[in-house]
Amino acid sequence: MTGRVRISTAGISAVTDLGRPAGGAVGQMTGGALDQYSARAANALVAASPQAPLIEIVAADFAATTSANLLVALTGAPAAVAVNGVPMRQWEPFWWPAGTELSVRSIRLGMRVYLAVHGTLDVPKLLGSCAPDSVLGFSGPLHRDDNLSVEPGPLRIFHSHLGIPVVRGAVQPPRFTDHWRIPVTDGPDRDEFGASAHRLHAGRFVIGTHSNHIGLRLTPVGGARLPVREHHGEVLSRGVPIGAVEVPAGDELLILHRGRGVTAGYPVLAVVTATGLSRLGQARPGQSVEFVRVGLGEAVAAARAEQAAIDRLTRRLARLMSAHAHRGSTASIPDSRPVPSEFEQLSTSS
């Protein structure tokens, strides 16, 4: 039965997905969730497709009520998540019963929380994606009293006697901190910086307040120095990847993120890896960043390891869905009970 999710506190939130990777071919930004790992994990935890729409909640408080019984999961930065005031765990699925309010408050250390639903959020799409595009004016932020149409799915994934999710601990949150170690590979213009290129990896940089989904602005701190380009010829505009670390004239670095245009004209010293981009999607203005130089093989291995954990969970839930379909089983919704707030301890440990 189709239900509604009514937004009561929108904060800074939007319905998004993993973006439109083919957008660059037509000059369109990729967009999508800035923390791709947390978004993928949220959808995997509720047996949704990787590209399924979900709600991205940025920094501010959020609340909504539902008219349908929904199986949901929230991942991303540590936050106080509750259903009708009862604390709920992040990084595992739980029930959001019809007529109750789900709230997300006190987002800390990171910037973004992802709310995924087992079922279907009915939202408009452009080139196969619901990700907002501020340049084209497609979609946009959620507002108070907005209603999202949702079709609940059939899956029940709670232990029939204990009432806890059978996928508890299936995927782990990344480490959230005030200082981020971001892996980068060499960019196409590294040689133009000569011996000063090593400065990117020798100090710390602070994220500026003008950073957003298009890119991050960083300035050196604590004695760190910017790399200096030795070649002074003009750089023609060209295609640039998500994660390009650019060195414009001035006193800051630019890192292009998922909202970037597809061309730019600054020298590219390095490129943030796929795992590093998700971390940068959580980094807050005022937090510091350290760039760690890695090879392509190491970068690919790290991305594959993250995806492998999500794939294992996806296969586990697929078997569970098949078993439920064979038995025709539909477990009842368990009573909501308070849970220990262990997520912050877990997320800040190495």
Side-chain angles (χ1 to χ4, degrees):
M1 182 181 76
T2 301
R4 295 278 177 179
V5 171
R6 182 174 177 273
I7 310 300
S8 50
T9 302
I12 306 171
S13 59
V15 179
T16 190
D17 53 28
L18 299 182
R20 44 187 73 85
V26 292
Q28 186 183 25
M29 70 179 188
T30 303
L34 261 65
D35 181 352
Q36 294 268 296
Y37 172 70
S38 291
R40 289 178 183 272
N43 274 330
L45 283 165
V46 293
S49 71
Q51 188 66 17
L54 74 172
I55 298 176
E56 183 180 61
I57 303 160
V58 184
D61 292 350
F62 171 89
T65 57
T66 176
S67 66
N69 295 321
L70 297 176
L71 184 69
V72 299
L74 286 93
T75 61
V81 176
V83 173
N84 269 8
V86 178
M88 306 302 290
R89 293 177 182 266
Q90 291 177 259
W91 292 86
E92 67 180 45
F94 60 84
W95 282 111
W96 181 11
T100 63
E101 180 184 74
L102 185 150
S103 61
V104 180
R105 307 189 190 282
S106 303
I107 298 175
R108 54 198 182 274
L109 294 178
M111 280 281 283
R112 292 171 169 83
V113 170
Y114 293 89
L115 167 57
V117 175
H118 177 58
T120 304
L121 284 172
D122 185 12
V123 292
K125 293 188 176 182
L126 175 66
L127 294 179
S129 169
C130 70
D133 188 317
S134 57
V135 176
L136 295 181
F138 173 75
S139 187
L142 293 170
H143 300 92
R144 179 183 173 89
D145 295 330
D146 280 353
N147 284 281
L148 301 175
S149 178
V150 59
E151 186 73 30
L155 184 60
R156 305 292 186 264
I157 56 175
F158 289 84
H159 191 284
S160 57
H161 299 294
L162 300 180
I164 63 174
V166 297
V167 293
R168 175 164 290 175
V171 289
Q172 296 297 323
R175 182 174 181 267
F176 287 86
T177 176
D178 287 325
H179 174 70
W180 299 86
R181 289 174 53 85
I182 303 299
V184 297
T185 58
D186 290 349
D189 304 319
R190 184 180 176 89
D191 289 344
E192 295 189 12
F193 292 86
S196 75
H198 83 281
R199 295 178 183 175
L200 181 68
H201 318 291
R204 294 191 175 196
F205 300 82
V206 167
I207 299 170
T209 57
H210 295 291
S211 301
N212 55 26
H213 67 291
I214 296 174
L216 289 80
R217 297 177 178 270
L218 301 95
T219 54
V221 293
R225 293 184 295 166
L226 289 171
V228 178
R229 187 172 178 239
E230 296 179 351
H231 300 269
H232 301 289
E234 183 178 359
V235 178
L236 299 178
S237 291
R238 58 191 169 163
V240 288
I242 301 170
V245 180
E246 297 186 324
V247 187
D251 60 354
E252 63 184 6
L253 296 174
L254 300 180
I255 302 180
L256 304 184
H257 218 299
R258 301 189 66 81
R260 67 57 168 118
V262 296
T263 61
Y266 293 126
V268 178
L269 173 61
V271 179
V272 178
T273 68
T275 56
L277 278 168
S278 287
R279 296 175 196 171
L280 283 180
Q282 293 289 357
R284 287 175 170 263
Q287 292 182 332
S288 62
V289 170
E290 177 183 352
F291 295 102
V292 180
R293 189 181 185 187
V294 300
L296 287 175
E298 185 178 349
V300 170
R304 286 178 174 171
E306 282 192 347
Q307 187 58 47
I310 295 174
D311 289 344
R312 286 193 294 270
L313 172 61
T314 300
R315 291 192 296 269
R316 183 174 179 182
L317 288 181
R319 291 194 296 269
L320 188 62
M321 291 176 71
S322 176
H324 276 299
H326 178 72
R327 295 196 305 265
S329 172
T330 55
S332 60
I333 299 174
D335 294 333
S336 295
R337 294 182 173 85
V339 298
S341 56
E342 299 171 350
F343 174 56
E344 184 174 358
Q345 297 176 13
L346 175 62
S347 63
T348 55
S349 63
S350 18

